[in-house]
Amino acid sequence: MRTYLYDGTFESFLTALSLALERDEDCAIAREAGAEAGLFSEFVNAGNDPARAAAMRDFFEELGSAESWHHARCAFLSEASGAEDALLAYARLIKEKGRGADDMLADDRVKRVHGLSASVGGEAHMFKGFVRFKELADKTLYARIEPDHNILPLLTGHFKGRLGEFNWVIHDARRGRAALHFKGRLVYAPLTPAGAPEFDGKEDRVQALWRHFFKTAAIKERTNPKLQRQNVPLKYRKNLTEFGG
Amino acid sequence: MLDTMDLQRKLEILADSAKYDASCASSGSNRAGRGTGAAHQSGVCHSWTADGRCVSLLKILMTNECVYDCAYCVNRRSNDTPKAILTPDEIAGLAFEFYKRNYIEGLFLSSGIVVSPDRTMELMLEAVRKLRENYHFNGYVHMKVIPGADQRLIDQAGLWADRVSVNIELPSDKSLRLLAPGKTKDTVLRPMNRLAQQIAAHKDERRTIKSSPAYAPAGQSTQLIIGATPETDREIIKLSEALYGKMALRRVYYSAFIPVMKDNRLPALREPPLLREHRLYQADWLLRFYGFTADELLDAAHPQLDLSFDPKTVWALNNLDKFPLEVNKASYEQLLRVPGMGVTSAKRIVRARRAGALKLDDLKKLGVVMKRAVYFVTAGGRYGGIKKETEAAIKIKLLEHKNPNGQLDLFGQGELVREGLEATVTGQL
């Protein structure tokens, strides 16, 4: 069986997907770093071909619909194991059925990709609330996040819309990447902090006020830690100011 | 403004006094523009407190001083608690500092009555005006309107705020007179009516003149306290139905009564009636999203919601002649009435059956809670429920799923519970 290897970027993945779709026999897609050589498998580096990647976008949007493209992109951002092959199966189905494919909600191929897309969309929405900025000495707002999925590209538009006049950084510490918003321009870059940042003098006091507010807002007679855990999973709390982050 | 410990203490007092207001929604507005902040159409929750309720807004009172002496209210004049007041500058500054750190979606500002309703309303308006004009803030603002304030002041609230609200609190005039001397049904409903008219008029105007100002784009809401007075669920749900219909309210919140202080006019409850509150929210959801009327859910012979079953299941059991429904043929409106189906799964069924006939096994994949729906549907003519379905037999089957840990988990996995409880607790939609 042939396995197409991609370099981790979406563009390279789309290149691999396009190559795999052209072959009729069984093939697979895997990330370079994670793939292990098997006795009967043949590895082919897909490379990174912008023209093929763009054609794949057209494939999803025109043969499927804007919705298909949205689900494909979000499912890729899930970084879930097996997402690549799930996307290949989904793309094959779109090739066969066209835009009717997304109606097949009980079909496992559609359900899997829609499901991955929904969990990525869900986490991105949660983080519109969970991002916590801290003001640095130079007035830049800095937030550290560690989401399960690679949701950074889905968050930046939201924060550009509301904090457009500030300089800010959202740092995905789990992936060592950051979105940097400076003077109205947005860039993505690898980021590994060199040391503890220096905060604005007022920062501690604002955080203390917020923690006080948060504590006070709970109604004692309705205490329900299970419901709280359901809504704010423990794994997210270390970067939330009100939980000591 | 942040330099004093004093502010911390004031915030504590004024957040503590505001927390019994159930409204926390930040939805229904898409305000944006130059400056800082924007509103999000579906709302955003930023955190959840130890009681599992969502924090979306900086919910505070401007002051907890009050000239009224309402028995149910923690801020009543005769309650001997520490009093505090925030200045308009403090309120605007605090909201802005919290907002830019993404702690909150915006401000929820309520207040006790200081000096007079007019003076109170003026100070509140000043705080929100400062936030909008001095800080160029485009985030969400929910403003309480003070009953008894001048109409001219009430009218201004909707120009600055995304959502406006007057709390009815007690579901009948009789209860109001008993527990809230100084308030009547009329003093509460008059400003509500006025806001409803203003909202409708501005909406009309914006249809023709796009540049005319938005007026409370997220509409109007209110709150009812549950269990402090003897009103039945039927009276409460009928009242909500009228508020949604006649006053075009976006939300009615239900707040289980918590006896924060003793008063011989109030019932001595050991625990707040949380399950009853939950059932009312479910019934409310059925009114707003499922096409039910209050009369279908409760009648004179059955004025209280069943605590063991959700109101849709109760309705279905009383209307077994309408079931089982064939999922491949039933209309969307009919599907919504099947226990175990919600708005999402009903929409999925309608969509998925375009691609091919659905089998019973498919329904679970579409998100239907089959342990409840199974008694009420067929797929391709096949029925998976019990042979001779009677109300009693289905009830027994449904109760087998009852969670031994407590009634609130009765249908813990159910879609209605998920859609109803979580969404209401979070205040979204």
Side-chain angles (χ1 to χ4, degrees), chain B residues 174-187:
Chain B
K174 197 172 140 210
S175 295
L176 268 176
R177 287 178 198 276
L178 177 68
L179 296 181
K183 283 188 197 166
T184 61
K185 192 171 135 198
D186 188 54
T187 54

Side-chain angles (χ1 to χ4, degrees), chain A residues 141-214:
Chain A
L141 297 169
Y142 170 83
R144 179 190 160 100
I145 59 171
E146 289 168 88
D148 287 343
H149 308 300
N150 185 15
I151 56 170
L152 199 52
L154 303 177
L155 286 179
T156 46
H158 175 80
F159 287 103
K160 203 170 153 55
R162 47 179 64 190
L163 297 175
E165 303 200 331
F166 293 88
N167 291 334
W168 47 259
V169 178
I170 301 175
H171 177 203
D172 183 341
R174 195 162 161 176
R175 291 167 186 79
R177 281 183 65 76
L180 304 114
H181 182 264
F182 274 97
K183 295 183 178 161
R185 287 179 45 119
L186 183 70
V187 287
Y188 293 91
L191 179 70
T192 324
E198 194 190 327
F199 292 113
D200 181 75
K202 207 167 61 175
E203 181 57 26
D204 275 350
R205 282 196 298 270
V206 179
Q207 286 185 24
L209 284 168
W210 168 241
R211 288 196 190 100
H212 265 275
F213 170 78
F214 180 73

